[in-house]
Amino acid sequence: MNEGPRSIVIVCYSEALSRITHMSGTAGNEALIWREGLVTPRGVRTIPALSGNALRYRTVREPGARWLIREYGLTGRLTLTQLNFLFHGGNLTKKSNGREDTNRIATYQRLFPLGRLLGGTLPDQILAGSLDTWIGELVCQENRDYLEAVLPDPKVLPARLRPAESFVSGYQYTRGDAARTVPTLARLKGPDSAGSDSSNLMIYSGQAVLRGAAFVHGFTLKNVSELEIGALILSLRLWQAAGGTIGGQAARGHGRLALSLVAGDFDQNEAVNAYVQHARSVRSEATAWLESVFARKPDAAAEGKTRTAPESVGLDLENAGEDL
Amino acid sequence: MSIPESSPSPDPVPVPVPPDLPEMDTESFRRKLAGLADPDRTTGMTEKTEIRETASRFCSILAYLFGRDLGRLTLSSRIDSALESACAKVSDDDLDRFVTICLDHIQADAAQAAACEPLRQLLETFLVRPPEWRQEFLHYIGTHRLAVVVRGKARWDLVKNKEIEL
């Protein structure tokens, strides 16, 4: 176990177990996959990729936050603001009082290693994170230079990889229409009845990255302890255990990835156990911290007060900036 | 308060920790990546041109063998759907099957097909090409179907005008 904070790089290899439909937008009824421009000797190519934003949320923040909530027995007990903080990083909704509450930051980082990793925003303060999430790059010939740069042992790459477009295919589905599938169950008269001409049958289609394709992605953890590494690895494990999906159409079987670790100087079990034990040991404190930081101030209007200068009503000047 | 002290949360049941993430050593990673290797050959411009021209020629042969019971006005759309159907059904490099599906789809007469020397030549060409070429041929038709039909129709017009051989 490493004693002090350190920076490490974790490289992952994720193989598509089903077609991947991480989309960028639509053209008519056709969904287009997310691509990244790449300068090659033969001009600029756009290569299918997985956005760092999606990977960060789906593989780390969401499973990690969900685990904390279940572990702490907080299901059904948090406000939307608290959930937004845990699942989406939170929002800066109040004026900052101009000073950094280092004690509060230190407490937060001690209680929530996952939060220290990802950062976030309290209502009046931004909290820096220490995790850089890489973009998921398709393992293809166009990305060869990149792969050689990031893989721990570039010699594992074959002499020539398949081109990116050989991994791209399409799909097409049809959304049914009750007027055609179950007309006998509809009422016979009136508007929107069995005989009315209100068909909404829709064909929709899109691009997909083929099953069997693979992505290299990773994480750079800056100045972290074993606890943050454990928080990350536990989140990745939870994500995999829950199906390991990325992108859309998971309800139709798309988006499953099988993740393997390729490089990373740490002991998985040691880090995860340390994090789990830590999280369990600070449960009461962490819950109380969440409660206090997001506690609502009494609503002035509801109490019949009118807004006046803080000095005149003797408000706590330290927190005055939050209310004005 | 969002987490009322008056109703303390019940002691939560510890959430099971999922199993280890698999770790790949150099050798297993090399084996994985080997599955993404390009076949040990590259498709040069000459080969691409040959594939494109062969696809056009195949289309013009389909036009020649087009079923007499089918409306001639549907020739291009029927050939297009023949290619689409055959591409969907043939996932290996079996071009004999690909051709058969296309001929069935356009309701070609068996006797006329058997007597069609250009078709026989084409099948012989397919036979001597390497599997990678055959797969590339299918891939090209699958991804450039409409262009293939357009070129095939243009070639068929030249054949009808006796400007070129079928």
Side-chain angles (χ1 to χ4, degrees), chain A residues 24-183:
Chain A
S24 67
T26 57
N29 280 353
E30 185 180 24
L32 305 174
I33 50 177
W34 197 78
R35 288 171 183 261
E36 195 187 26
L38 171 70
V39 177
T40 74
R42 298 166 73 182
V44 174
R45 299 281 185 271
T46 54
I47 311 296
L50 305 174
S51 72
N53 189 45
L55 284 168
R56 183 180 170 87
Y57 178 74
R58 294 292 282 272
T59 70
V60 188
R61 196 185 279 279
E62 195 271 344
R66 199 175 282 278
W67 181 82
L68 274 177
I69 287 172
R70 282 185 63 198
E71 188 67 38
Y72 288 173
L74 295 176
T75 305
R77 302 170 66 84
L78 297 176
T79 63
L80 284 177
T81 308
Q82 288 166 326
L83 289 170
N84 270 322
F85 176 68
L86 290 172
F87 281 91
H88 305 290
N91 300 305
L92 199 61
T93 53
K94 294 179 181 175
K95 279 185 190 169
S96 168
N97 58 16
R99 70 179 178 83
E100 202 169 59
D101 189 341
T102 48
N103 184 43
R104 187 166 58 166
I105 295 173
T107 306
Y108 169 68
Q109 293 188 342
R110 178 175 63 81
L111 296 176
F112 295 93
L114 182 72
R116 166 157 154 62
L117 201 59
L118 293 166
T121 308
L122 296 176
D124 62 346
Q125 190 166 20
I126 292 174
L127 307 164
S130 51
L131 177 73
D132 290 349
T133 309
W134 303 2
I135 288 171
E137 302 291 2
L138 187 68
V139 179
C140 62
Q141 184 60 22
E142 289 87 341
N143 279 331
R144 188 182 183 85
D145 288 348
Y146 171 81
L147 296 170
E148 285 180 355
V150 302
L151 290 178
D153 182 7
K155 289 178 189 157
V156 296
L157 287 166
R160 185 175 173 81
L161 291 160
R162 290 177 189 274
E165 280 315 301
S166 67
F167 295 110
V168 179
S169 180
Y171 68 90
Q172 179 175 296
Y173 296 125
T174 305
R175 188 188 67 198
D177 176 12
R180 292 164 191 261
T181 56
V182 285

Side-chain angles (χ1 to χ4, degrees), chain A residues 4 138 181 185 235 246 314 324:
Chain A
L138 187 68
T181 56
L185 299 180
S235 299
I246 193 91
L324 296 176

